[in-house]
């Protein structure tokens, strides 16, 4: 599912640009206010102990995990396994393709 670059949404995958976790991917699990979000990756940052991060320190990616988004909407929670699965799926499908030099348009992202 394609998301917006300007408004963060729960379930959206982000690339951390600064701080100790710079260069790593995470998923927005909660919006705090207009400046901060809570991130988790299911590994080092679990759902029950997420990382508070300034939106300016994140690169919002045009991908929202439908599994994570649905789980958050229905129950208000998501399992750490589902977070790891969503991140692995994104990295395997999109990041790997970009590193291979395969170009794709926005329609391919909507699976």
């Amino acid at each position: 599912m394609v998301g917006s670059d300007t408004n963060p949404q729960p379930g959206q995958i982000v690339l951390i640009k600064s701080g100790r976790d710079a260069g790593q991917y995470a998923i927005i699990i909660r919006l705090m206010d207009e400046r901060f979000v809570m991130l988790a990756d299911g590994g080092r940052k679990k759902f029950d102990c997420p990382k508070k991060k300034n939106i300016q320190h994140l690169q919002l990616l045009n991908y929202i995990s439908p599994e994570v988004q649905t789980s958050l909407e229905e129950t208000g929670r998501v399992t750490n396994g589902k977070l790891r699965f969503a991140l692995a799926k994104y990295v395997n499908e999109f990041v790997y393709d970009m590193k291979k030099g395969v170009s794709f348009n926005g329609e391919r992202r909507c699976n």
Side-chain angles (χ1 to χ4, degrees):
M1 178 178 282
V2 176
S4 164
D5 274 324
T6 56
N7 295 325
Q9 299 178 35
Q12 186 170 13
I13 296 180
V14 298
L15 178 62
I16 301 170
K17 295 191 300 187
S18 63
R20 179 182 300 181
D21 299 326
Q24 296 182 3
Y25 293 95
I27 299 178
I28 296 173
I29 58 168
R30 187 171 43 241
L31 305 175
M32 300 300 289
D33 55 30
E34 65 278 350
R35 285 187 54 204
F36 291 97
V37 295
M38 298 302 272
L39 302 176
D41 61 11
R44 289 181 14 181
K45 286 293 171 194
K46 308 274 191 211
F47 177 83
D48 291 330
C49 190
K51 174 77 175 169
K52 182 178 180 182
K53 200 75 171 160
N54 189 324
I55 295 170
Q56 294 180 345
H57 299 163
L58 304 174
Q59 178 181 344
L60 301 177
L61 302 174
N62 269 345
Y63 186 82
I64 297 174
S65 170
E67 298 91 358
V68 174
Q69 187 179 44
T70 302
S71 183
L72 287 170
E73 287 172 356
E74 290 176 356
T75 65
R77 296 187 55 82
V78 64
T79 64
N80 291 313
K82 196 172 282 188
L83 290 170
R84 290 190 304 269
F85 171 80
L87 286 171
K89 180 179 172 185
Y90 176 79
V91 169
N92 289 336
E93 287 183 19
F94 299 114
V95 176
Y96 180 72
D97 285 347
M98 286 188 280
K99 287 183 180 175
K100 283 193 333 189
V102 176
S103 63
F104 52 88
N105 58 23
E107 286 137 349
R108 185 179 184 286
R109 294 182 182 189
C110 296
N111 291 338

